[in-house]
């Protein structure tokens, strides 16, 4: 119950900025309900005036009846427009807030979620929450007004029958409520399967080359089929429960309708009621049963929204990086690791008692066998992960700062693999510095040995790349990533296998260009190749969880 209340409060809080739109939607919905009630009363006078041949009153009632239809059509059009605006505004607001939370989340917590799961939460879960705010809640309020108002009007016409309906009608609602907890569990389970489904599709599309070269097409198609079977089974189970609950509601509707129709026929037979009164009662019972049935139909939507709110709140509870610390700029920066221990699991240490000192402007190589902790070493410096013991500092001539998420502003990073975005080459380069001039862009791509292949294309810097840089080779993608990092112009440059797809001559050319930058950045190069070691000031090797300095013929 406490968790339910927290979910409802969360939905209410995200609604506050849009409350004026909701008030308009609710007021218009209430007016529509009141029009529906008044139309039942108008129909009574219209029929009675017709049967009693009071033509003047009959035409007046007909005109008013038609007027209510026109007004209702106008109001419904306004509701559609306002609801659409409110819907997209709330959806954008929630997604923007969640996206901000996700990109600021600590790396270790972010990695617990698959991208497909995050996309499901930011799309279908956000849609479910938005729908309850802009559609379900206003509908519930307008239906409630219609229900209460119709009951009151009915009591004036036939108080005895009205009391009977008041006793019978809630029974069907209470019976359908029994299924609500089951529907919530099924909804959460369905969303989990939907996340798994999207995750599988996402990974399959991104790794289509692996699927093709390993001849896994049929295997992946079978996997999709199995996941879809789970979706179908769960959908059918949910549909059966929903259908059964709705059947109870519909049966209640027909019982009440039969009572009113039979009661009216009996009264007409005994000449104790008019045709107008019977018409009004039949109209009102529709106004009574419609809201009850409508509310029952809304129960699955409410359950879905509560479940989605619970899933979205999980993202809001993720720990964020501490970015509130502001540091001044550094022209040059050294790096100090002091007695660093790190492990992903306590029983499996990655780094032990690491202590090194890298001076400002040094070019340092970090080597070692795969899986020894080279990328972990870099991620510690980037404060994506934190040491179990010890301290890491960034230093200049005047200060020494503990590494944190706030010190990433001093670092340019080129990670492993293709890290380009869809868009133009210029767009990708400007991620490094949105204020870069044409001269700065050209200088960066020349230093990264990317200028020639860019200029060979007729579009030049405006050449459009596909997803993950589709349209350029791996070597070209690496050079663009290096140029992007150089445009960032930070005192520390990290290259994690960033030249692995380059030939030896191009690799040396790029690294020498980096060494000749003014001011020269402190550069850490992770590599498996020995060609670059000769231009480094120091070479460190990770072996048996320790970092040791290797002796190479190096350039000072």
């Amino acid at each position: 119950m406490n968790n339910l209340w927290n979910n409802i409060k969360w939905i209410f809080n995200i609604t506050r900025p849009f409350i004026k739109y909701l008030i308009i939607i609710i007021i218009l919905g209430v007016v529509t309900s009141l029009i529906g009630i008044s139309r039942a009363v108008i129909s009574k006078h219209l029929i009675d005036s017709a049967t009693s041949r009071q033509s003047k009153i009959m035409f007046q009632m007909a005109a008013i009846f038609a007027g209510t239809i026109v007004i209702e059509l106008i109001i419904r059009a306004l509701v559609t427009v306002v609801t659409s605006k409110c819907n997209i505004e709330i959806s954008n607001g929630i997604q923007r807030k969640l996206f901000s939370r996700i990109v600021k989340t600590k790396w270790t917590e972010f990695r617990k979620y698959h991208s497909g799961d995050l996309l499901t939460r930011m799309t279908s879960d956000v849609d479910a929450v938005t729908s309850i705010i802009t559609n379900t809640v206003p509908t519930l309020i307008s239906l409630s007004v219609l229900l209460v108002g119709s009951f009151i009007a009915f009591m004036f016409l036939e108080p005895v029958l009205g009391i009977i309906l008041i006793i019978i009608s809630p029974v069907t609602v209470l019976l359908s409520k029994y299924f609500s907890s089951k529907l919530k569990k099924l909804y959460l389970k369905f969303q989990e399967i939907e996340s798994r489904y999207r995750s599988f599709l996402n990974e399959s599309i991104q790794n289509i080359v692996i699927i093709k070269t390993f001849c896994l097409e049929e295997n992946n198609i079978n996997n999709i089929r199995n996941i879809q079977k789970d979706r179908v089974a769960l959908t059918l189970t949910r549909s059966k429960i929903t259908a059964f609950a709705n059947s109870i509601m519909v049966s209640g509707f027909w019982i009440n309708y039969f009572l009113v129709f039979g009661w009216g026929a009996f009264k007409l037979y005994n000449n104790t009621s008019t045709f107008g009164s019977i018409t009004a009662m039949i109209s009102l019972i529709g106004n009574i049963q419609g809201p009850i049935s409508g509310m029952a139909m809304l129960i699955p939507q409410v359950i879905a929204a509560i479940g989605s709110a619970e899933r979205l709140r999980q993202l809001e509870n993720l720990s964020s990086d501490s970015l509130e610390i502001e540091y001044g700029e550094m022209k040059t920066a050294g790096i100090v690791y002091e007695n660093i221990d790190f492990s992903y699991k306590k029983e499996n240490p990655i780094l032990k008692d690491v202590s090194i000192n890298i001076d400002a402007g040094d070019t340092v190589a970090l080597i070692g066998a795969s899986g020894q902790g080279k990328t972990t070493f870099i991620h510690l410096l980037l404060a994506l992960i934190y040491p179990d013991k010890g301290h890491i500092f960034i230093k200049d001539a005047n200060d020494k700062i503990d590494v944190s998420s706030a010190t990433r502003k001093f670092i340019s990073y080129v990670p492993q693999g293709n890290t380009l975005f869809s868009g133009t080459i210029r767009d990708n380069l400007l991620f490094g510095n949105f204020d870069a001039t044409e001269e700065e862009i050209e200088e960066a791509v020349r230093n990264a040995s990317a200028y020639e292949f860019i200029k060979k294309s007729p579009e030049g810097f405006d050449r459009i790349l596909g997803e993950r840089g589709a349209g350029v080779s791996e070597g070209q993608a690496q050079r663009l990533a290096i140029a992007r990092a150089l445009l960032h112009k930070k005192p520390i440059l990290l290259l994690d296998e960033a030249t692995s797809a380059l030939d030896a001559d191009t690799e040396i050319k790029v690294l020498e260009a980096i060494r000749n930058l003014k001011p020269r950045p402190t550069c850490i190069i992770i590599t498996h190749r020995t060609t670059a070691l000769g231009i480094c000031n120091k070479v460190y090797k990770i072996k048996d969880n320790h970092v040791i300095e290797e002796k190479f013929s190096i350039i000072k």
Side-chain angles (χ1 to χ4, degrees), residues 299-368:
I299 288 175
Q301 296 179 29
V302 174
I303 292 166
I306 296 298
S308 289
E310 190 171 315
R311 283 165 53 82
L312 295 176
R313 283 179 58 226
Q314 290 173 1
L315 298 183
E316 284 207 338
N317 292 330
L318 294 174
S319 300
S320 296
D321 282 325
S322 300
L323 299 172
E324 66 276 4
I325 304 173
E326 287 290 337
Y327 294 114
E329 295 298 323
M330 283 187 179
K331 296 289 185 181
T332 60
I335 303 163
V336 179
Y337 283 65
E338 288 185 356
N339 309 116
I340 295 298
D341 285 358
F342 178 81
S343 60
Y344 293 104
K345 296 180 179 179
K346 289 184 178 181
E347 67 276 9
N348 186 24
I350 304 297
L351 297 174
K352 294 174 65 176
D353 198 28
V354 173
S355 293
I356 64 171
N357 185 21
I358 301 173
D359 294 326
D362 276 355
T363 301
V364 173
L366 187 63
I367 62 174

Side-chain angles (χ1 to χ4, degrees), residues 1 12 57 95 136 142 184 232 273 282 312 397 413 417 434 454 463 476 487 532 550-551 553-554:
M1 180 60 72
F12 176 76
I57 296 175
Q95 289 177 337
T136 308
S142 61
K184 181 185 175 183
V232 169
S273 186
I282 291 173
L312 295 176
Y413 179 41
F434 289 114
I454 292 173
R463 177 182 175 185
Q476 291 171 337
L487 271 177
E550 293 280 287
K551 299 300 180 183
S553 177
I554 55 180

Side-chain angles (χ1 to χ4, degrees), residues 394-437:
I394 291 176
K395 61 176 184 176
D396 63 6
N398 303 313
D399 204 358
K400 189 167 73 169
I401 302 169
D402 272 299
V403 160
S404 68
S405 52
T407 58
R408 292 178 200 147
K409 65 175 289 186
F410 303 124
I411 301 173
S412 293
Y413 179 41
V414 185
Q416 297 180 36
N418 188 329
T419 57
L420 299 182
F421 296 84
S422 57
T424 65
I425 289 177
R426 186 188 307 279
D427 291 336
N428 274 279
L429 294 172
L430 289 176
F431 271 106
N433 180 4
F434 289 114
D435 298 320
T437 63

